[in-house]
Amino acid sequence: MKESLKNLFSKHYTIPKSDIVKDAMGKFSLTEKILFFGFAFVLCVSSLTLLWQVNDSFMVEIPSRGGTLTEGVIGLPRFINPVLAISDADRDLTALIYSGLLKATPEGTLVPDLAESYSISPDGLTYTFTLKADLIFQDKTPLTADDVVFTIQKAQDPTLKSPKRPNWEGVIAEKVTDREIKLTLKQPYSPFLENATLGILPKHIWANVGSEEFQFSQFNIEPVGSGPYKLKNIERNASGIPMYYRLEAFDQYVSGPALIKNFIVRFYQNNEGVIQAYENGVVDSLTNISPKQASTIRENGGRVETTPLPRIFAVFFNQNHSSVLVNKEVRQALNIATNKEAVVTEILNGDGIAIDSPIPPGLLQKNSIEGAKNQTYATEEERIAAAKKVLETAKWKFNTEKGLYEKTVSKKTATLTFSISTSNAPELKATAEMLKEMWGKIGVLVEVKIFDIGELNQNVIRTRKYDALLFGEIIGRDLDLFAFWHSSQRNDPGLNIALYANTKVDKLLEDARASSDADVRIEKYKALEKEVQTDIPAVFIYSPDFLYVTAKNLHGFNLSHVTVPAERFIGIENWYLETEKIWKVFAPK
């Protein structure tokens, strides 16, 4: 046997007819040899190409973990803490580093995050959450029910003055087991589940920090959470001011490690600084840009993602401060004279939607824009004529000398004039001036008053010292309009800036927030919408788009439902920059 194998491998083999081929090639002329080898080369290349194409047809491209994304943010973080976060920089980093019992999805729903499951009692007063097993923080410490209860109690602590405190007032948080938490409400509140997205603090770090020292803890700027990214290092300038945070994917994040390995957040003092950084290639993505800047970036080949924001911008009338605005026909004429589509086109560059409702488009089953579209006119002259007709039908008379409408009642003459107060934001200033021009065409004299946002909030809005206020309201995903339109919210700190009072609307709001039936809530809000449109306590103008500039090679990104800028990071664990090819049979299902 051994000898047979030896003979087999030592035997000399030849290819049949190979000598004939050699002899034939030896007789080729130079030209014939060139042609022969040329055809042979083409045959080899074609065969290899065919084999590559066949192989490629059996392969699929899948996300690959790796890469670095750099985000530009305006401002410096002070409280990277879900209980204390107040600025966009705070909220951005908090969204990346922390996770809650539930999390929002790009589709606008809430799904379990740290929680494995939850249940709601039939009376809508008790919410019970069960945590997933083996949860840990980014410092490898276990995350348990104690941490959840601790976080809620800190949000409720009046000493901390947490912006989350109103959401948790009256809620009793109890640990049932290490993995189970019971939350008890005083009364039913259907949007309550939104509160369960609050990021969870590690009790073992914060328990020894007193309430008075809580805001000054180093962990507010060197956070430890359980979210998709953890802090790797902070790069500071010579003055010790942070220039950027370098984050890396947390391998034990409950939803799986993020595909983008590194995430860098760079800080800039203003809009101009972050735009310059983008143009210089220092940052890949940014927000807080104007529609005009977004248009320029698009023209230069940049990628700008947009999605409607659940916000409404309107002129809210303070009838307690301006006697002419008490007249419904005046408010009706102003509404007719407002070319809302022109505001969206000329000031927002089309990055928004004209509205005629206190509810942003898309939050009800019907499109809330229908009213705005019904007010379109063939020409601007028709619009002006329709508005003037409303005034004249109500006995307002045009004073040709003053160029204004006037009305005499009980020997007292009222002149159609009032002021609009707004902030110094470019879009709002431009909108106010545009409204002044539009309303001037129907004989209304409007004075535009511009304030810095701090002064506007403190000295104008809180004191309710304005005739009309051009301002925006953040409605949110839960569609709770109580704070904006209930009569109990007319005074500070309530957000009913139209000082609107309607007993039917009050009842609708109360019933809507107490109902757990989504269809019932929608019907209540439809009825509310109709009442508000009938009373005209405000001229609703537009709902803006959220604008986000990001890298061209970013995949897995879904910007569907955003209520605040930090929610652009929803689903960030699924974003990816790099890919690889594998055979289809090995691809994940």
Side-chain angles (χ1 to χ4, degrees):
M1 180 67 176
K2 184 177 180 180
E3 192 65 29
S4 299
L5 289 173
K6 182 178 179 182
N7 293 335
L8 179 64
F9 286 106
S10 61
K11 188 175 179 181
H12 179 70
Y13 294 91
T14 60
I15 300 175
K17 309 295 184 180
S18 62
D19 291 339
I20 297 174
V21 175
K22 289 179 182 179
D23 290 340
M25 288 180 62
K27 297 176 181 179
F28 283 174
S29 65
L30 179 61
T31 301
E32 290 171 332
K33 287 181 179 180
I34 292 173
L35 288 172
F36 176 80
F37 286 110
F39 285 128
F41 176 77
V42 170
L43 178 62
C44 291
V45 171
S46 300
S47 299
L48 290 173
T49 301
L50 181 61
L51 287 171
W52 179 83
Q53 290 176 340
V54 170
N55 180 68
D56 193 58
S57 68
F58 287 99
M59 302 190 77
V60 64
E61 193 172 69
I62 63 168
S64 175
R65 193 175 180 208
T68 299
L69 190 68
T70 304
E71 180 101 6
V73 170
I74 297 173
L76 289 172
R78 182 182 174 191
F79 300 118
I80 310 173
N81 180 324
V83 171
L84 300 177
I86 54 174
S87 69
D88 282 342
D90 290 344
R91 287 187 286 264
D92 286 349
L93 284 160
T94 296
L96 293 166
I97 293 172
Y98 288 90
S99 57
L101 293 171
L102 304 180
K103 66 178 179 179
T105 68
E107 293 72 37
T109 59
L110 296 175
V111 298
D113 193 10
L114 295 174
E116 181 178 79
S117 62
Y118 65 89
S119 62
I120 307 172
S121 63
D123 61 6
L125 295 177
T126 304
Y127 291 71
T128 304
F129 291 85
T130 301
L131 296 175
K132 293 174 181 174
D134 303 321
L135 295 173
I136 65 168
F137 285 105
Q138 291 157 357
D139 63 356
K140 309 302 182 185
T141 304
L143 189 160
T144 69
D146 288 320
D147 300 291
V148 178
V149 173
F150 174 81
T151 301
I152 294 171
Q153 290 174 345
K154 283 301 176 183
Q156 295 171 325
D157 187 340
T159 307
L160 300 186
K161 298 179 180 179
S162 168
K164 299 293 185 181
R165 187 184 174 204
N167 300 338
W168 292 98
E169 280 190 303
V171 177
I172 299 173
E174 301 174 87
K175 171 187 173 181
V176 180
T177 68
D178 281 346
R179 290 181 54 198
E180 192 172 330
I181 308 100
K182 183 172 72 172
L183 306 177
T184 306
L185 283 61
K186 288 185 176 180
Q187 58 188 24
Y189 179 54
S190 56
F192 178 73
L193 276 179
E194 184 76 24
N195 298 341
T197 60
L198 177 70
I200 303 303
L201 294 170
K203 181 180 178 180
H204 68 279
I205 287 177
W206 291 96
N208 296 324
V209 180
S211 295
E212 297 295 338
E213 295 81 33
F214 205 82
Q215 295 187 357
F216 305 102
S217 171
Q218 188 71 9
F219 287 102
N220 284 316
I221 56 175
E222 297 179 4
V224 174
S226 56
Y229 283 91
K230 65 178 182 179
L231 177 62
K232 186 175 183 180
N233 67 282
I234 306 172
E235 186 68 25
R236 305 176 187 270
N237 62 18
S239 302
I241 297 174
M243 294 189 298
Y244 65 83
Y245 273 53
R246 181 181 292 274
L247 311 178
E248 64 178 359
F250 178 37
D251 288 340
Q252 291 174 281
Y253 173 50
V254 67
S255 295
L259 291 170
I260 298 177
K261 182 67 176 175
N262 300 294
F263 198 100
I264 298 173
V265 181
R266 287 186 171 272
F267 308 110
Y268 297 89
Q269 292 183 352
N270 49 44
N271 173 268
E272 291 74 19
V274 72
I275 287 288
Q276 188 65 52
Y278 173 76
E279 292 175 348
N280 293 340
V282 177
V283 300
D284 304 306
S285 52
L286 66 148
T287 183
N288 285 320
I289 60 170
S290 70
K292 185 176 181 180
Q293 289 170 328
S295 179
T296 301
I297 290 172
R298 289 189 188 103
E299 290 170 1
N300 293 332
R303 176 183 178 185
V304 182
E305 297 285 345
T306 66
T307 189
L309 275 174
R311 299 183 183 184
I312 59 117
F313 282 80
V315 176
F316 299 91
F317 299 126
N318 184 350
Q319 299 174 42
N320 294 344
H321 204 264
S322 173
S323 58
V324 297
L325 294 173
V326 174
N327 300 283
K328 183 177 177 180
E329 70 272 8
V330 171
R331 305 194 303 274
Q332 184 180 0
L334 294 173
N335 192 39
I336 292 172
T338 306
N339 188 339
K340 302 169 185 182
E341 290 78 11
V343 174
V344 171
T345 301
E346 296 178 25
I347 296 175
L348 301 184
N349 281 351
D351 289 317
I353 300 175
I355 61 172
D356 196 36
S357 167
I359 302 173
L363 292 190
L364 292 182
Q365 289 181 343
K366 74 180 188 65
N367 191 336
S368 299
I369 183 88
E370 289 173 355
K373 288 188 175 180
N374 289 340
Q375 285 196 3
T376 57
Y377 293 86
T379 65
E380 192 65 19
E381 289 73 18
E382 287 185 15
R383 180 188 300 278
I384 295 168
K388 286 183 175 181
K389 183 177 180 181
V390 170
L391 293 173
E392 291 168 359
T393 301
K395 309 303 181 183
W396 288 84
K397 294 183 178 180
F398 189 71
N399 185 321
T400 54
E401 291 184 6
K402 295 181 180 179
L404 301 173
Y405 273 95
E406 295 178 337
K407 186 176 184 179
T408 302
V409 179
S410 302
K411 297 183 179 180
K412 291 184 179 180
T413 301
T415 304
L416 207 46
T417 178
F418 61 91
S419 64
I420 296 178
S421 299
T422 193
S423 80
N424 60 1
E427 290 81 16
L428 293 180
K429 288 194 295 184
T431 299
E433 291 296 337
M434 195 170 183
L435 292 173
K436 176 181 178 178
E437 181 181 350
M438 289 176 181
W439 293 346
K441 292 177 181 179
I442 64 166
V444 180
L445 177 62
V446 176
E447 178 188 4
V448 175
K449 296 181 178 181
I450 306 297
F451 300 87
D452 288 334
I453 188 62
E455 184 182 2
L456 183 72
N457 284 326
Q458 286 294 118
N459 301 330
V460 179
I461 297 177
R462 295 190 68 177
T463 59
R464 303 301 198 248
K465 291 182 178 178
Y466 50 86
D467 294 341
L469 178 69
L470 173 58
F471 203 63
E473 293 180 343
I474 303 174
I475 306 303
R477 184 173 24 251
D478 53 21
L479 190 56
D480 184 12
L481 300 179
F482 186 92
F484 301 114
W485 297 104
H486 195 277
S487 61
S488 66
Q489 304 298 304
R490 287 176 292 172
N491 298 319
D492 183 70
L495 300 176
N496 185 348
I497 52 180
L499 282 73
Y500 183 61
N502 180 315
T503 55
K504 184 175 181 180
V505 167
D506 285 352
K507 185 66 165 60
L508 289 168
L509 288 165
E510 292 161 9
D511 291 347
R513 65 170 10 200
S515 176
S516 59
D517 188 319
D519 292 334
V520 170
R521 295 183 69 207
I522 287 173
E523 289 307 312
K524 299 293 182 185
Y525 282 127
K526 284 181 179 179
L528 175 146
E529 181 180 53
K530 185 176 180 180
E531 283 290 314
V532 173
Q533 287 174 328
T534 299
D535 291 339
I536 321 175
V539 172
F540 302 102
I541 304 174
Y542 65 83
S543 181
D545 285 346
F546 175 68
L547 304 173
Y548 185 41
V549 181
T550 193
K552 292 181 181 179
N553 64 329
L554 178 64
H555 305 284
F557 174 75
N558 188 343
L559 195 67
S560 296
H561 287 77
V562 171
T563 59
V564 294
E567 289 188 355
R568 66 190 183 276
F569 297 131
I570 288 175
I572 192 171
E573 65 273 14
N574 299 317
W575 297 8
Y576 62 97
L577 297 169
E578 300 179 359
T579 61
E580 61 179 333
K581 283 191 172 184
I582 63 172
W583 281 16
K584 291 179 182 179
V585 293
F586 299 118
K589 300 298 183 183

